[in-house]
């Protein structure tokens, strides 16, 4: 349990209970430690930060306070003292008291974030506030603007977004009623009920939910935040810009706030970053280590003498326009030097992802990285032979150290092998299975463990093939390797579902890549093999289905969390034939294709 040091700060006669942990003096490098100000929301107190504060205190002077109306702070009568203008005054009063010589860095949640937005949009706020990490709390003026924009342009998407948020916010109508919510929380506002509620809706471990003895009183007193601000702000919004660097931590499974409401933040924020994960509203309780690390990196990047690697890592989250579904994600792609891997890198670069590009041909990976940077993406090339299991593990560790835990992993590296299964050499079979199947398993396991440990979800894409469900007499070994990828992916998807990690198997059909030109054909002499390979390569080129079209399907699969994605018309037909009339596939498999 964190050992807080308590003091009292007054603002216009309202006493605020302030709690500190960590040294406010100099660190080991003789630099002043930045002060981090933690601000809670409804119905919490400074106890919300019990698990986050000690992590940040290793490098920062950490301060939390009970907002007016909560915990050990004063509870002024009436609704007017709880207007956002008054709450923003509290933010500046505490900041001045705990860090008079240096601006503070704010990390705020829920209504704490709402009042921090009010503070950072005041003129000159950037002189007192060095950075702001916003978690599950919008600027109410911006929210009002967003609602008006969606309703004034009633497209299906806009109306859907507005209705979805209205449904999520329906509880606020109840909260603003004069008597019923007081009676409700008076009866149900116990710590046990609150812990059970968070466990039920978000899976929050009950032991993580630390509350004070004043929880019931806080629930009732905090209702004044809703009455004092929501109708006024949404009815007549007045947006103001901020020059404070802002990181929006967007929780995609937030029960109260839909991600779409943050789509317009970039219009009001000069320097905006975004981190979006499959997490819920009470992130400080459910995933405190992730939140602490995210905040730590952002604060460090806006502190004096920022380490180059920290500043570089931060760049991937910065927004210069409306967010895209995958904005700010870190994506790892194997086999990124050509074909589907290269085109997928370009597609994800357009989405605003940071890229880690691996290939056995490092020069090809470097070329993909250079081209990806033309889309404004950060891209780092690596040399990797996915058939080397220990090399894959080492690569995963290096990625984590240099870039962080990836949000997306695409196991794309693969090779071909055609011809008779009986004529193939043992070396050919071993190499095929080591790259196509074991390489996918190794990459999924190494990065999957990291995603599970981090606890905020992710997505793994494994490139299989239509050959996985389209048996052919001349592709038996290749089909076996890709069928293994397909069923492994389906099984892994079931295993990782509870961790909010999606797994997609992509099954392209005939796609014009360079894999055919490099595919050995067992059972043929050298001259005949070259002629046959050129014939098949010409067939693929005439087919004209380019790898960029596969890349688009990969992006859609990630966004929509698709399980199995047949790509190309023949793959879609073959998938359905094998599922519903497999005997047709068996008859067709007897036909000679490569000879």
């Amino acid at each position: 349990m964190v050992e807080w040091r308590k003091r009292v700060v007054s603002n216009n006669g309202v006493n605020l209970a302030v709690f500190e942990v960590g040294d406010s003096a100099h660190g080991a490098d003789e630099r002043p430690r930045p002060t981090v100000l933690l601000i809670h929301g409804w119905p919490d107190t400074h106890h919300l930060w019990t698990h986050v504060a000690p992590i940040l205190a290793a490098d920062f002077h950490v301060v939390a306070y009970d907002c007016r109306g909560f915990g050990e702070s004063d509870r002024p009568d009436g609704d007017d003292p709880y207007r956002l203008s008054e709450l923003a005054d509290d933010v500046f009063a505490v900041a001045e008291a705990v860090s008079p010589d240096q601006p503070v860095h704010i990390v705020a949640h829920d209504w704490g974030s709402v009042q921090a937005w009010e503070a950072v949009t005041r003129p000159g706020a950037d002189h007192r506030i060095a950075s702001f990490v916003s978690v599950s709390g919008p600027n109410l003026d911006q929210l009002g603007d967003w609602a008006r924009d969606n309703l004034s342009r009633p497209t299906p998407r806009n109306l859907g977004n507005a209705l979805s948020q209205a449904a999520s916010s329906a509880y606020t109508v109840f909260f603003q009623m004069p008597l019923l919510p007081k009676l409700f929380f008076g009866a149900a506002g116990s710590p046990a009920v609150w812990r059970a509620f968070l466990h039920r809706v978000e899976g929050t471990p009950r032991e993580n939910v630390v509350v004070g003895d004043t929880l019931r009183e806080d629930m009732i007193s905090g209702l004044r935040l809703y009455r004092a601000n929501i109708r006024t702000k949404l009815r007549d919004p007045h947006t103001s810009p901020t020059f404070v660097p802002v990181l929006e931590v967007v929780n995609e499974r937030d029960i109260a706030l839909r991600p779409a409401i943050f789509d317009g933040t970039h219009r009001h924020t000069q320097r905006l970053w975004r981190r979006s994960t499959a997490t819920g509203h009470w992130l400080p309780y459910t995933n405190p280590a992730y939140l602490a690390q995210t905040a730590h990196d952002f604060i460090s990047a806006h502190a004096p003498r920022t380490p180059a690697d920290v500043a570089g890592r931060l760049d991937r989250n910065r927004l210069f326009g409306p967010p895209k579904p995958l904005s700010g994600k870190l994506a790892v792609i194997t086999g990124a030097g050509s074909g589907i891997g290269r085109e997928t890198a370009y597609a994800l670069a357009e989405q605003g992802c940071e890229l880690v590009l691996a290939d056995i041909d490092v020069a090809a990976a470097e070329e993909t990285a250079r081209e990806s940077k033309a889309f404004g993406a950060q891209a780092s090339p690596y040399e990797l032979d996915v058939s080397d299991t220990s090399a894959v593990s080492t690569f995963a560790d290096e990625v984590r150290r240099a870039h962080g835990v990836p949000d997306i992993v695409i196991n794309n590296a693969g090779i071909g092998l055609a011809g008779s299964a009986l004529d193939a050499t043992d070396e050919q079979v071993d190499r095929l299975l080591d790259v196509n199947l074991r390489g996918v398993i190794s990459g999924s396991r190494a990065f999957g463990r990291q995603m599970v440990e981090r606890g905020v979800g992710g997505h793994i894409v494994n490139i299989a093939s239509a050959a996985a469900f389209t048996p052919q007499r001349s592709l038996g070994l290749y089909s076996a390797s890709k069928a293994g990828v397909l069923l492994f992916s389906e099984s892994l998807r079931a295993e990782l579902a509870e961790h909010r990690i999606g797994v997609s198997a992509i099954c392209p059909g005939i796609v014009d890549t360079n894999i055919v030109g490099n595919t050995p054909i067992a059972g043929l002499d050298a001259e005949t093999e070259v002629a046959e390979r050129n014939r098949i390569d010409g067939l693929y080129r005439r087919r004209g289905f380019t790898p960029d079209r596969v890349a688009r399907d990969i992006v859609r699969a990630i966004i929509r969390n698709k399980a199995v994605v047949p790509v190309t018309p023949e793959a879609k037909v073959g998938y359905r034939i094998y599922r519903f009339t497999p005997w047709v596939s068996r008859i067709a498999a007897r036909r000679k294709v490569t000879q």
Side-chain angles (χ1 to χ4, degrees), residues 17 36 43 140 152-153 209 267 290 304 313 334-335 383 395 432 437 507 538:
V36 180
L140 289 188
S152 65
R153 293 180 289 111
V209 182
R267 298 200 299 264
Y290 164 73
R313 187 183 305 173
T334 66
E383 182 176 1
F395 169 67
L432 177 76
L437 182 55
C507 301

Side-chain angles (χ1 to χ4, degrees), residues 136-137 168 202 251-259 279-282:
S136 293
S168 296
E202 294 194 1
N251 298 306
E252 296 167 354
R253 295 190 299 112
D254 197 314
I255 62 172
L257 303 167
R258 309 313 303 150
T279 42
H281 185 82
W282 269 274

Side-chain angles (χ1 to χ4, degrees), residues 117 121 139 141-150 152-153 157-158 237 239-243 246 248 260-274 319-323:
W117 271 113
T121 52
N139 179 300
D141 291 299
Q142 294 176 19
L143 180 59
D145 249 9
W146 175 86
R148 288 187 173 201
D149 286 347
N150 279 267
S152 65
R153 293 180 289 111
R157 180 178 182 274
N158 288 348
T239 56
S240 301
T242 181
F243 297 93
V246 177
E248 277 187 330
I261 69 172
F262 301 105
D263 286 354
T265 309
H266 67 281
R267 298 200 299 264
H268 312 286
T269 310
Q270 296 295 314
R271 291 183 288 170
L272 176 65
W273 288 258
R274 183 181 176 109
L319 289 182
F320 295 95

Side-chain angles (χ1 to χ4, degrees), residues 340-364:
I340 293 171
R342 173 171 285 184
E343 293 298 334
T344 303
Y346 299 159
L348 291 176
E350 288 185 299
Q351 282 284 324
C353 293
E354 179 190 358
L355 305 175
V356 173
L357 307 173
D359 200 285
I360 194 169
D361 181 353
V362 70

Side-chain angles (χ1 to χ4, degrees), residues 161-437:
N161 287 337
L163 290 173
S164 176
Q165 182 55 50
S168 296
S169 300
Y171 71 95
T172 64
V173 176
F174 172 69
F175 279 17
Q176 294 176 71
M177 291 180 178
L179 183 60
L180 286 178
K182 294 181 181 179
L183 295 175
F184 176 79
F185 290 116
S190 71
V193 171
W194 185 238
R195 291 188 180 99
F197 170 75
L198 294 187
H199 180 72
R200 177 80 177 185
V201 300
E202 294 194 1
T204 305
R206 286 180 170 88
E207 63 274 14
N208 278 16
V209 182
V210 181
V211 297
D213 298 332
T214 57
L215 178 63
R216 182 177 280 104
E217 293 84 352
D218 296 335
M219 286 180 165
I220 296 171
S221 177
L223 296 172
R224 290 178 286 201
L225 294 173
Y226 296 86
R227 295 196 300 266
N229 298 292
I230 287 184
R231 281 176 293 179
T232 302
K233 287 287 188 179
L234 297 187
R235 184 174 58 244
D236 188 23
H238 295 281
T239 56
S240 301
T242 181
F243 297 93
V244 174
V246 177
L247 170 64
E248 277 187 330
V249 178
V250 178
N251 298 306
E252 296 167 354
R253 295 190 299 112
D254 197 314
I255 62 172
L257 303 167
R258 309 313 303 150
I261 69 172
F262 301 105
D263 286 354
T265 309
H266 67 281
R267 298 200 299 264
H268 312 286
T269 310
Q270 296 295 314
R271 291 183 288 170
L272 176 65
W273 288 258
R274 183 181 176 109
R275 196 77 176 92
S276 179
T277 49
T279 42
H281 185 82
W282 269 274
L283 193 61
Y285 283 145
T286 308
N287 300 93
Y290 164 73
L291 176 56
Q293 185 61 58
T294 300
H296 185 287
D297 287 351
F298 190 73
I299 294 164
S300 297
H302 292 94
R305 293 196 286 178
T306 303
D309 61 329
V310 173
R313 187 183 305 173
L314 180 70
D315 284 345
R316 75 171 183 264
N317 306 114
R318 188 163 184 184
L319 289 182
F320 295 95
K324 296 179 179 179
L326 302 179
S327 291
K329 304 287 188 183
L330 172 63
V332 174
I333 306 173
T334 66
S338 62
I340 293 171
R342 173 171 285 184
E343 293 298 334
T344 303
Y346 299 159
L348 291 176
E350 288 185 299
Q351 282 284 324
C353 293
E354 179 190 358
L355 305 175
V356 173
L357 307 173
D359 200 285
I360 194 169
D361 181 353
V362 70
E366 289 170 348
E367 176 63 23
T368 303
R370 283 193 293 272
E371 294 294 330
S372 298
K373 290 174 182 177
F375 296 98
Q378 272 196 305
S380 304
Y382 287 83
E383 182 176 1
L384 177 67
D385 181 352
V386 298
S387 70
D388 185 340
T389 303
S390 62
V392 173
S393 296
T394 300
F395 169 67
D397 291 340
E398 187 173 356
V399 169
R400 181 173 192 165
R401 178 191 58 77
H403 306 275
V405 176
D407 305 289
I408 300 165
V409 173
I410 300 175
N411 294 301
N412 166 73
I415 59 174
L417 177 61
S420 168
L422 305 183
D423 291 331
T425 66
D426 289 342
E427 290 77 10
Q428 287 176 323
V429 175
D430 289 343
R431 179 67 179 167
L432 177 76
L433 295 178
D434 284 346
V435 173
N436 286 10
L437 182 55

Side-chain angles (χ1 to χ4, degrees), residues 11 16 37 39 65 68 81-95 106 111-112 114-122 128-129:
N11 177 43
L16 304 170
L37 183 58
I39 311 176
Y65 69 98
R68 60 172 66 195
Y82 297 87
R83 295 193 185 280
L84 286 176
S85 57
E86 301 292 327
L87 298 172
D89 287 344
D90 290 346
V91 173
F92 286 108
V94 174
I106 291 177
W111 272 98
V114 173
Q115 60 186 285
W117 271 113
E118 186 77 9
V120 301
T121 52
R122 284 190 178 177
R128 179 104 293 283
I129 301 172

